Amino acid sequence: MRTDYHLHTPLCGHAVGAPREYVLAAQQAGLAEIGFSDHNPMPTQFDDWRMGPGQLPEYLALIAEARQEFAGYPIRLGLECDFIPGQEDHIRHLAAQADWDYLIGSVHYITPDWDVDNPRHLKRWTEQPVEQVWQAYFDAYRRMVESCLFDFLAHPDLVKKFGHRPDGDLVRFYTPTLDAMTEAGTVLEINTAGLRKEVREMYPSRQFLELAAARRIPIVINSDAHAPGEVAHAFDEAYALAREIGFTHVMRFKKRKAEAVRIE
């Protein structure tokens, strides 16, 4: 009964493969259903790694075409939405533009001109203490959680992508975010993409997940695939980790409603 709800399309400018190729890869991997969730458009051309302001209809048409071709296979419609302070009304506007199955919340920007996971900005890591970068990221992430705009929350410790970590116990960053998740009643993503990045570790860390399990925060497991070959990447490892930590269910999504499914 495995699912993968975090799949991209070429409209974001840094993914390859038509939606039908992702569907075929998912079927080969034995997934029960999938969902596409490309990076949300902004009111203006904000950066070069999301669909453009006028491309939402094209995105919806792509997914509709895949649904028509694979009519017997569940394909969910989602959107990965960057949380940027001051753009909350834009997210609400997007939420009304389609019959979404889920909206994913994510944080990439810690300042208006620094998407913290972008390799073009690696030099910035040498210009200020890592502690400050992490604090800015997790402050933004907590604000995203508190907005309650999203159905689940993507790659909670994306800030570690390039392997930069502050000294000491990182629980000081995790706790306020996890407390906000508990209060909001939201769903946490285990994202296997980190295994394909410099950090070579899933998002979030095992410690983060252990703290989440203790709070009974529900989870969903995704690949964040940007190519068909990445669909369901390392899912055996991710599901084994979830079971080992104590999670017994994962969430499935339809029409912005979540349903718990037992991990077999």
Side-chain angles (χ1 to χ4, degrees), residues 8 11 34 41-42 52 55 101 103 108 125 133 140 150 182 189 193 205 230 241 248 251:
H8 290 272
L11 290 179
I34 61 169
M42 297 294 285
Q55 288 187 300
D101 289 300
L103 296 181
H108 295 88
W125 286 96
V133 180
F150 309 106
T182 303
E189 178 189 67
S205 68
E230 295 172 354
L241 175 64
T248 59
M251 306 305 289

Side-chain angles (χ1 to χ4, degrees), residues 90-168:
H90 178 60
I91 300 301
R92 295 184 184 98
H93 169 75
L94 290 173
Q97 299 308 300
D99 189 13
W100 307 106
D101 289 300
Y102 55 86
L103 296 181
I104 309 176
S106 64
V107 170
H108 295 88
Y109 284 89
I110 61 170
T111 65
D113 62 345
W114 187 7
D115 36 350
V116 75
D117 64 322
N118 194 327
R120 283 182 287 190
H121 301 310
L122 281 173
K123 186 175 183 293
R124 295 198 180 196
W125 286 96
T126 67
E127 298 172 348
Q128 60 184 297
V130 174
E131 177 91 14
Q132 291 182 8
V133 180
W134 271 59
Q135 192 62 61
Y137 174 84
F138 277 100
D139 285 348
Y141 207 95
R142 176 181 48 78
R143 290 182 64 183
M144 176 187 70
V145 176
E146 292 171 347
S147 76
C148 295
L149 290 170
F150 309 106
D151 301 298
F152 67 85
L153 309 173
H155 36 63
D157 55 357
L158 179 68
V159 69
K160 73 183 180 187
K161 176 181 175 179
F162 300 113
H164 301 284
R165 289 186 175 91
D167 294 331

Side-chain angles (χ1 to χ4, degrees), residues 176-245:
T177 294
L178 286 160
D179 288 347
M181 288 181 182
T182 303
E183 179 69 21
T186 191
V187 177
L188 163 68
E189 178 189 67
I190 298 178
N191 183 314
T192 63
L195 294 169
R196 307 191 298 269
K197 307 302 181 182
E198 291 83 346
V199 72
R200 296 293 187 266
E201 178 182 282
M202 291 183 209
Y203 308 117
S205 68
R206 183 187 181 102
Q207 182 184 36
F208 193 107
L209 287 173
E210 289 172 344
L211 294 168
R215 290 167 167 79
R216 300 185 181 278
I217 295 172
I219 61 167
V220 62
I221 297 175
N222 293 319
S223 69
D224 203 347
H226 286 69
E230 295 172 354
V231 174
H233 173 73
F235 268 25
D236 287 345
E237 183 177 343
Y239 275 85
L241 175 64
R243 284 192 297 266
E244 182 181 334
I245 288 173

